[in-house]
Amino acid sequence: MRNLYSRAVKFAAMTMTDIARESGHRAGFCDCEYKILGEYIMSELFKVSSNPHIRSRATTNGLMLAVIIALMPAAGFGIYNFGPRAIAVILVTIISTVLTEFLFGLYKCGKNRPQEKETRSGEKSVSGMEQVSLVKTIFEKTTITDLSAVVTGLLLALNLPVTMPLWMAALGGVFAILVVKMLFGGLGQNFMNPALAARCFLLLSFPTAMTAFDCDIYTGATPLAALKAGEQVDTLNMFIGRTAGTIGETSVIALLIGACFLILMGVIDFRIPGSYIGTFILFVIIFGGHGFDPVYLAAQISGGGLMLGAFFMATDYVTRPITIKGQYVFGIFLGLMTGIFRIFGPGAEGVSYAIILGNLLVPLIEKFTKPTAFGYRKGGKHGEK
Amino acid sequence: MNKAGERLYNGLVKENPTFVLMLGMCPTLAVTTSAMNGLGMGLTTMVVLALSNLIISLLRNMIPNRVRIPAFIVIIASFVTAVQLLLEAYIPSLNKSLGVYIPLIVVNCIILGRAESYAYSNPPVPSLFDGIGMGLGFTFALTCIGAVRELIGAGELFGFALMPDSFEPVRIFGQAPGAFFVLAALVALQNYIKNVRKKKGKSYEKIGSGCTEDCVNCGDVSCKKRFYDADAVDKGGQAIKSPSEKKSGKGGQATESSPEKKSGKVNQEQESAAEERGEKSAADNMQEQDRKGSMKNESPREAGHVAEKTQATEKEER
């Protein structure tokens, strides 16, 4: 942009000197000349490119890095809470997602590559320069450098119990990237959150392994299941995170630190998490059977994956509605569904199903909350003035 | 007899009802939890398909065109009832596992589709073999899907445990999502194989039923399946032509054809209306650009729509 601008100014100045020479002026610009100069600059600027002209400095890479940093407290607490095996689960999932994305990109790259030139003797010759450019194109074509696969892997790992067999975790990573993301066209085209889709895939495939929360430190049911069974739970421990559960979901404090970081960085806003958690609280008050009981409410909010889902999964840029009104609708829908799954459903947890169900409804929500374009009649049909 | 072989090959490979035509998805997704179920469902459908094709082909000159669908349904339903009674008597276990999907064969779109597109307009023997070929293709597809799902979802094949004990079955393949995964993967696989073999010079062009399904460019005026009259075809032809004009970029300049004239007129009207309202735009060349742009972008139908609207608004103003 700046480059184009300076080029335009240079061009205008050159033309100005021509004009000045012709009209006999040697020094100093009069008003009309400034006007001409301005018109030249503007006419050049108008030809810069098609819209959008105002661009944000945010890049996919930067956003993903911010999410990874924001997830670090939760991951760190998970490792501290559940021991070194949590590191293994996290590493295996991240490696499997990144590797899958890399291999898929490599496959596509190989398919689209122009056919190698053959020398006269029929041998394929690849010179050093070509090899370097090949490696370069591979890294340009494969999308691993945008870090989205790392985020998917990390989120998936935080959604798995620490006792998960490692090959199952790796299978989940492959499923998330290959089936949910890459087969639908890569980042930006996936129709539901890959990490959550993989979690549900694993939950349906290996129900026993996915709900085995017994580990060396904690035995017995998760606090949410205990709550559902009508037992007393320690809300303070749930808030700090010293309970059984998946690796990343237990500590509300760690998750809130990450969420604050994301909000301060401007990566996410309060619309979806706020409406989601608010609707859920209302639902629990009305249908929970305990009325306005602060202890029960606090346990419901800090139990399970609600915090992780509301701040890190539901706000996923690809699978949330882009309209502001739609984001509120989306949050309210998620809150309702989570409440229904948790209170009326057979299981204790319902965040992941609620979110992927909401993801599927996003196109519909966007269709009904599309803002009226400037110059168009409100409520009019598409294209009607 | 050559014709019969061709029909069998057509049903199994070229026009496989599941993998190519994508028909009969309901039983395909619902009953293929195991290879045995898939095989049973496929064979049951094949028997009904072959016999109903034969009977419909024999009766094709007697069935009036207008009531042909009810007539087909009656014929198919009687065969389905007979087959279900036989299954109940001799293979009760299969009957139990297939459940409601056996009576639902009556409305299976493969059977109705073959009756409509082949048996109703072809002699009995090819129709019989068309039914057998299509049925075999369906059976093959269902058995494949069922086998993959059973193998991954339960570690068994036709009820025999194949996988080692350490194998952890991926339960999702036994449930509804697994059916979609396996179907998609198998369709992709057969497309891949066909693409590879096409490169080697093998032809997989659809034989069809003598019908290219391209009614717009079809010269057969006496065709029974033609679903619109000659005027509609002309309109369709125009509608198909206009995007190509758009692509070539001549849409804006060519003022000979009627739709373009119309849209030009419309824009003039719009402009005059806008001027009347006192909404003069800043520069004339902008208006010109606007006109060009709208002429390129608006398809004839939309233009007509807008023309009606502007006329209506003008009337209101008067």
Side-chain angles (χ1 to χ4, degrees):
Chain A
M1 187 72 189
R2 196 175 295 155
N3 191 20
L4 268 172
Y5 182 79
S6 66
R7 260 167 58 194
V9 171
K10 204 181 274 176
F11 175 71
M14 277 166 66
T15 337
M16 274 308 298
T17 46
D18 283 355
I19 294 168
R21 208 170 287 152
E22 268 178 29
S23 55
H25 287 287
R26 285 285 156 187
F29 289 165
C30 69
D31 281 354
C32 74
E33 279 167 345
Y34 274 118
K35 203 177 163 192
I36 293 168
L37 181 68
E39 272 175 11
Y40 266 117
I41 293 171
M42 291 312 282
S43 64
E44 280 301 306
L45 280 183
F46 269 138
K47 287 176 195 163
V48 169
S49 64
S50 67
N51 57 12
H53 300 292
I54 303 168
R55 287 171 199 184
S56 158
R57 283 197 182 171
T59 56
T60 313
N61 213 321
L63 292 176
M64 295 296 168
L65 197 62
V67 176
I68 292 172
I69 293 169
L71 282 172
M72 275 304 130
F77 189 86
I79 294 164
Y80 162 72
N81 199 13
F82 293 107
R85 199 184 143 79
I87 303 178
V89 175
I90 292 173
L91 280 183
V92 162
T93 356
I94 292 178
I95 288 170
S96 78
T97 50
V98 174
L99 201 65
T100 312
E101 183 144 336
F102 180 70
L103 290 178
F104 191 87
L106 213 62
Y107 170 72
K108 291 220 35 158
C109 188
K111 249 194 150 180
N112 299 336
R113 197 175 54 200
Q115 289 198 337
E116 288 149 349
K117 287 173 199 165
E118 289 187 12
T119 54
R120 246 177 232 169
S121 56
E123 289 169 14
K124 287 172 185 171
S125 69
V126 183
S127 68
M129 278 296 285
E130 277 174 353
Q131 268 180 344
V132 170
S133 69
L134 194 69
V135 170
K136 212 180 155 193
T137 47
I138 284 172
F139 271 93
E140 276 169 6
K141 286 257 171 87
T142 59
T143 43
I144 51 168
T145 45
D146 69 11
L147 294 180
S148 63
V150 180
V151 170
T152 302
L154 188 56
L155 275 176
L156 176 61
L158 297 187
N159 269 302
L160 298 178
V162 72
T163 48
M164 194 78 187
L166 292 181
W167 69 268
M168 284 182 192
L171 186 69
V174 172
F175 180 84
I177 295 297
L178 187 67
V179 178
V180 186
K181 190 169 151 200
M182 296 319 272
L183 285 186
F184 283 87
L187 185 70
Q189 309 287 327
N190 44 307
F191 66 108
M192 58 166 75
N193 190 317
L196 274 184
R199 179 190 144 87
C200 294
F201 170 79
L202 292 175
L203 200 59
L204 284 174
S205 302
F206 314 109
T208 46
M210 277 297 281
T211 50
F213 293 114
D214 287 345
C215 57
D216 302 338
I217 304 138
Y218 304 107
T219 50
T222 57
L224 214 55
L227 201 67
K228 182 139 185 147
E231 294 162 24
Q232 285 294 316
V233 289
D234 187 349
T235 324
L236 185 68
N237 266 349
M238 283 172 77
F239 194 68
I240 298 169
R242 300 200 60 82
T243 57
T246 67
I247 293 174
E249 75 178 11
T250 55
S251 172
V252 178
I253 288 182
L255 286 169
L256 281 182
I257 291 171
C260 281
F261 173 74
L262 282 188
I263 289 169
L264 288 179
M265 291 283 288
V267 177
I268 63 171
D269 48 44
F270 264 116
R271 283 179 210 130
I272 292 174
S275 54
Y276 183 3
I277 296 171
T279 316
F280 177 70
I281 291 172
L282 267 182
F283 192 93
V284 172
I285 290 174
I286 297 171
F287 296 104
H290 290 254
F292 187 76
D293 178 3
V295 178
Y296 181 75
L297 270 183
Q300 276 286 4
I301 293 167
S302 44
L306 182 65
M307 286 293 153
L308 185 62
F311 285 104
F312 293 95
M313 314 270 222
T315 52
D316 175 15
Y317 277 18
V318 181
T319 53
R320 68 165 192 197
I322 52 169
T323 58
I324 291 172
K325 225 191 286 175
Q327 292 181 2
Y328 287 115
V329 175
F330 183 65
I332 291 168
F333 176 80
L334 295 189
L336 277 180
M337 289 320 286
T338 309
I340 290 171
F341 285 142
R342 276 201 185 171
I343 289 167
F344 300 123
E349 178 58 297
V351 173
S352 44
Y353 285 123
I355 295 178
I356 63 169
L357 205 61
N359 288 161
L360 294 182
L361 286 181
V362 163
L364 206 65
I365 295 173
E366 280 176 351
K367 197 183 165 193
F368 285 114
T369 56
K370 200 158 99 185
T372 318
F374 180 70
Y376 284 82
R377 200 180 294 156
K378 204 172 183 186
K381 277 181 189 169
H382 177 66
E384 199 173 275
K385 275 204 173 174
Chain B
M1 215 50 216
N2 195 19
K3 184 96 177 161
E6 176 241 293
R7 291 324 299 170
L8 286 179
Y9 181 63
N10 181 45
L12 262 170
V13 180
K14 285 189 179 174
E15 277 191 41
N16 187 302
T18 309
F19 290 149
V20 181
L21 299 182
M22 290 283 163
L23 290 177
M25 282 297 117
C26 174
T28 306
L29 296 170
V31 301
T32 52
T33 46
S34 69
M36 200 61 216
N37 278 0
L39 187 67
M41 183 73 202
L43 288 178
T44 316
T45 313
M46 190 190 84
V47 171
V48 177
L49 184 53
L51 290 177
S52 67
N53 257 12
L54 178 68
I55 299 296
I56 287 166
S57 176
L58 283 172
L59 295 176
R60 70 186 188 280
N61 295 326
M62 273 175 261
I63 301 174
N65 201 16
R66 285 192 176 179
V67 292
R68 63 186 192 281
I69 303 280
F72 296 163
I73 298 263
V74 168
I75 293 166
I76 297 164
S78 25
F79 279 116
V80 170
T81 315
V83 167
Q84 190 181 11
L85 288 175
L86 282 173
L87 276 185
E88 247 179 285
Y90 293 104
I91 325 176
S93 62
L94 185 66
N95 181 55
K96 205 180 166 191
S97 63
L98 292 184
V100 75
Y101 291 98
I102 294 179
L104 278 180
I105 295 176
V106 177
V107 285
N108 189 317
C109 49
I110 300 172
I111 299 182
L112 269 180
R114 292 328 286 176
E116 175 83 2
S117 69
Y118 196 85
Y120 192 51
S121 46
N122 282 289
V125 175
S127 293
L128 175 69
F129 279 97
D130 181 72
I132 296 176
M134 281 284 160
L136 279 180
F138 190 57
T139 313
F140 170 70
L142 287 202
T143 315
C144 283
I145 296 174
V148 174
R149 286 181 67 184
E150 195 181 353
L151 196 64
I152 303 178
E156 296 174 343
L157 197 60
F158 287 102
F160 299 105
L162 281 189
M163 291 295 197
D165 286 342
S166 57
F167 174 76
E168 180 90 21
V170 187
R171 297 262 175 242
I172 199 170
F173 279 92
Q175 296 161 3
F180 285 98
F181 294 152
V182 174
L183 176 67
L186 288 181
V187 170
L189 182 70
Q190 69 98 31
N191 277 343
Y192 177 76
I193 293 172
K194 280 188 179 174
N195 278 343
V196 167
R197 295 187 68 170
K198 238 181 212 169
K199 272 182 195 159
K200 286 180 187 164
K202 267 210 144 200
S203 164
Y204 282 99
E205 291 300 309
K206 277 187 190 176
I207 297 178
S209 311
C211 174
T212 53
E213 289 173 358
D214 185 7
C215 291
V216 175
N217 298 322
C218 178
D220 186 7
V221 188
S222 61
C223 176
K224 276 189 237 166
K225 278 174 285 178
R226 213 169 177 133
F227 52 89
Y228 35 62
D229 53 4
D231 296 341
V233 170
D234 280 350
K235 273 179 198 165
Q238 270 188 1
I240 286 166
K241 269 174 202 164
S242 59
S244 64
E245 279 179 6
K246 238 189 260 169
K247 264 184 195 169
S248 63
K250 286 174 188 169
Q253 282 81 20
T255 44
E256 282 85 6
S257 62
S258 58
E260 257 69 35
K261 264 187 188 172
K262 241 187 197 170
S263 67
K265 220 178 176 181
V266 167
N267 280 287
Q268 278 172 5
E269 280 173 9
Q270 275 182 334
E271 276 169 28
S272 59
E275 277 171 6
E276 275 170 21
R277 285 184 219 121
E279 294 174 16
K280 279 187 181 177
S281 51
D284 287 343
N285 59 345
M286 287 287 277
Q287 269 188 357
E288 258 182 39
Q289 274 184 356
D290 261 3
R291 193 192 297 164
K292 271 182 192 169
S294 58
M295 276 162 85
K296 262 181 203 169
N297 293 335
E298 273 172 6
S299 70
R301 188 182 285 178
E302 273 178 325
H305 185 61
V306 175
E308 282 170 18
K309 285 221 62 151
T310 45
Q311 279 171 7
T313 48
E314 273 174 15
K315 272 178 194 171
E316 277 175 17
E317 277 173 12
R318 277 170 205 158

